[in-house]
Amino acid sequence: MEKKKMGLPMQIFLALIFGIVVGLVLYFAGAAEFTTSYLKPFGDIFVNLLKFIVVPVVLFSMIDGIISMGDMKKVGSVGWKTVAYFMVTTAIACVIGLVLATLFNNAGLFPNLAEAAQSAEYEAKEYAGFMSTLVSIFPTNMWKSFTEANMLQVIVIALLFGGAIMAAGEKAKLCRDIVTSFYAVIDKLMTFVISLAPIGVFAYMSWVVATQGAAILGSLALVILCAYIGYMIHAVVVYSVSARVFAGISPWAFFKGASAAMIFAFTSTSSAATLPVSKECAADMGAEDDIAAFVLPLGATINMDGTAIYQCVATVFLATCAGMHLTLGQMVLVVVTATLASIGTAGVSGAGMIMLAMVLEAIGIPVAYIGLIVAVDRLFDMGRTCLNVTGDIACTLCVTKWESKK
C-alpha cells in the first residue's frame, strides 16, 4: 500500500510551529543574531525565488485567463465585480477597526505615549494624488515595469495584450500558442518553488520570533492585540460568510483550503509573493483558472482590508497620544479616507504608511506620530497581509460563482 504524502498546507503549518518553537528558544537563549545571520537568509532566498516568478506568473496567467474567457465583456464583468467586492469589504474593515479601537481606548487599554510622541520622528512619503497615481499605472516602458515588478503596470500590460490577441482573431493563433506554452512552463516552475515553502516559512518565523519577541511583550502589545482581533473578526464575519453565502463553501472548508496561502502570507508579509500559493488554494476550492488568474493579481494589488483595520486602530491610538477624542464625524471621515486611499495608493511603495499619513492628515493628527509604531510595523504587517490574501481567495470564489450563474 502506497504511503500517503503529507499535503503542502500541513507541511507549512508544521514549519510555522517549528519556527515559533525554535525562535522562542533562541530568543530566551539570547541567540537572536543566529537567526538573522544563518536562518533568515534561507527565507530571503525563497522569497527571492517567488519574486523572480511573480511577474511572469501574473503576466502569462492573466493573458491566458483573458484569452480563455474569450470575451472582453466577461473580463469587464469580472473586473468591476472584483473592485466592488473589495471596496465594500474595505469599508466594513474600517468600521470594524474603528469600533474595536474605540472600545479598547474607552476601556483604558491603549497606552498613552504622549511624552514619547513629542520626540517621535517620521517623514511620510509624499502622495502625489489619485490622478497622478492613475497616470502612473500606464507604463511607458514595458521592460522597466517588469524589472521594477510594478504589479499594476504588469496587470495593465496583460489586459492590453490579452485584449489585442482576442481582437486579432485567427491571425494571433501563434501568440495564443506561445502564451499557453509559456504559461505551462511557468506553472511547472511555480510548482517547484512552492514546494520549498516550508523551508521559507520556518526560516522567517524563527527569525521574527527570535528578534521581535521583546516587542510583542512591550507597551504596544494591546494595540497589536486590538488589530489582530479585528483581522480575525473580518476574516470570519466577512470573508468566510461571503464564501458561504455566495460560493457555497463552509467556513471550515474555506479556512482549511486557504490555510497554506494564509500561513505563507503571514510569514512573508507579501501578497504578491504569495500569489502562486493563493492560486493553488483557490483552484483546490473550485475557482475557475481564468477568473483566478485575473482576480488574484488584481486583489494582491488593490485589496487592503487588513491595512484598513490597521489604519483605524493606529489612528485611534495616535489620537489618544495626541490628546484627541475622535468625534463621529471624524470617524466617518476616517472610513471614507481609508477606503478611497486603499485604491488610490495601490501599487505605491510603502502604501500602508502613505495611507496612514493621509488618514492622520485628514483629521489633524501630526504625521510624525507614526514614528511611535514604525518599530513594530512588521508585527502588524504579518496579520494584515494574511488577511488581505484571505480576501483575495474569497473574492475569487465569489466571482467564480457569480459568473457561473450568468
Side-chain angles (χ1 to χ4, degrees):
M1 184 177 177
E2 187 178 344
K3 188 176 181 181
K4 189 177 180 180
K5 186 179 178 181
M6 184 184 294
L8 182 65
M10 181 55 69
Q11 292 180 37
I12 293 178
F13 177 73
L14 292 177
L16 175 75
I17 298 301
F18 190 40
I20 292 174
V21 172
V22 170
L24 286 173
V25 170
L26 293 175
Y27 169 67
F28 287 113
E33 187 61 33
F34 174 82
T35 60
T36 302
S37 301
Y38 299 103
L39 290 182
K40 182 177 178 288
F42 287 100
D44 290 339
I45 290 171
F46 176 63
V47 170
N48 286 347
L49 286 174
L50 280 169
K51 289 180 178 178
F52 153 67
I53 66 169
V54 160
V55 169
V57 164
V58 171
L59 180 67
F60 288 109
S61 67
M62 285 198 75
I63 295 177
D64 187 65
I66 291 168
I67 295 172
S68 299
M69 289 184 198
D71 183 4
M72 284 305 291
K73 287 183 179 179
K74 183 176 180 181
V75 175
S77 174
V78 171
W80 79 259
K81 287 172 183 172
T82 301
V83 174
Y85 180 94
F86 288 136
M87 289 292 284
V88 171
T89 58
T90 299
I92 295 173
C94 289
V95 173
I96 290 174
L98 278 177
V99 169
L100 277 174
T102 302
L103 290 174
F104 267 64
N105 191 40
N106 290 344
L109 298 177
F110 278 174
N112 190 333
L113 305 181
E115 291 185 11
Q118 302 303 318
S119 59
E121 293 184 5
Y122 179 80
E123 186 175 343
K125 294 182 181 180
E126 185 178 352
Y127 173 54
F130 176 77
M131 293 308 297
S132 177
T133 302
L134 180 63
V135 171
S136 70
I137 72 174
F138 292 91
T140 57
N141 186 314
M142 182 170 66
W143 307 114
K144 186 178 179 182
S145 302
F146 296 160
T147 56
E148 293 181 353
N150 187 318
M151 299 316 297
L152 270 180
Q153 291 188 1
V154 173
I155 289 170
V156 170
I157 291 169
L159 284 170
L160 294 175
F161 271 99
I165 290 172
M166 280 200 296
E170 280 300 311
K171 291 182 180 179
K173 186 178 184 303
L174 179 60
C175 282
R176 291 172 184 263
D177 293 341
I178 289 175
V179 168
T180 302
S181 181
F182 262 107
Y183 183 50
V185 173
I186 294 297
D187 191 55
K188 290 297 180 184
L189 178 59
M190 181 175 65
T191 301
F192 165 70
V193 174
I194 290 174
S195 69
L196 303 176
I199 299 173
V201 169
F202 165 73
Y204 265 135
M205 203 65 219
S206 57
W207 167 66
V208 168
V209 173
T211 57
Q212 301 198 36
I216 297 175
L217 303 174
S219 60
L220 294 175
L222 287 171
V223 183
I224 296 169
L225 175 64
C226 181
Y228 272 81
I229 292 174
Y231 298 153
M232 289 185 283
I233 290 175
H234 193 69
V236 174
V237 174
V238 179
Y239 293 150
S240 71
V241 170
S242 65
R244 178 71 184 90
V245 173
F246 298 118
I249 299 174
S250 70
W252 170 253
F254 172 71
F255 286 119
K256 182 180 179 183
S259 60
M262 292 171 68
I263 293 172
F264 184 73
F266 184 79
T267 51
S268 69
T269 66
S270 171
S271 296
T274 312
L275 270 174
V277 188
S278 300
K279 193 171 184 300
E280 278 206 357
C281 291
D284 289 343
M285 285 188 280
E288 290 184 14
D289 287 342
D290 55 351
I291 292 177
F294 184 90
V295 174
L296 288 174
L298 188 60
T301 308
I302 69 171
N303 175 27
M304 296 189 179
D305 288 6
T307 307
I309 290 174
Y310 156 74
Q311 314 270 302
C312 294
V313 171
T315 298
V316 174
F317 163 62
L318 295 178
T320 301
C321 293
M324 291 176 57
H325 180 74
L326 298 184
T327 64
L328 180 60
Q330 287 176 316
M331 289 185 180
V332 172
L333 184 60
V334 169
V335 172
V336 174
T337 305
T339 302
L340 295 178
S342 69
I343 301 297
T345 58
V348 178
S349 177
M353 285 300 174
I354 294 175
M355 283 175 64
L356 182 55
M358 291 170 63
V359 172
L360 294 181
E361 286 179 345
I363 58 175
I365 297 175
V367 174
Y369 278 33
I370 295 177
L372 285 173
I373 57 175
V374 166
V376 291
D377 184 64
R378 184 178 179 88
L379 297 175
F380 286 111
D381 200 10
M382 293 168 75
R384 66 187 182 230
T385 305
C386 176
L387 183 66
N388 291 344
V389 166
T390 308
D392 297 343
I393 296 173
C395 181
T396 303
L397 297 172
C398 291
V399 173
T400 294
K401 193 67 174 181
W402 292 330
E403 287 298 309
S404 69
K405 292 180 179 179
K406 292 177 64 177

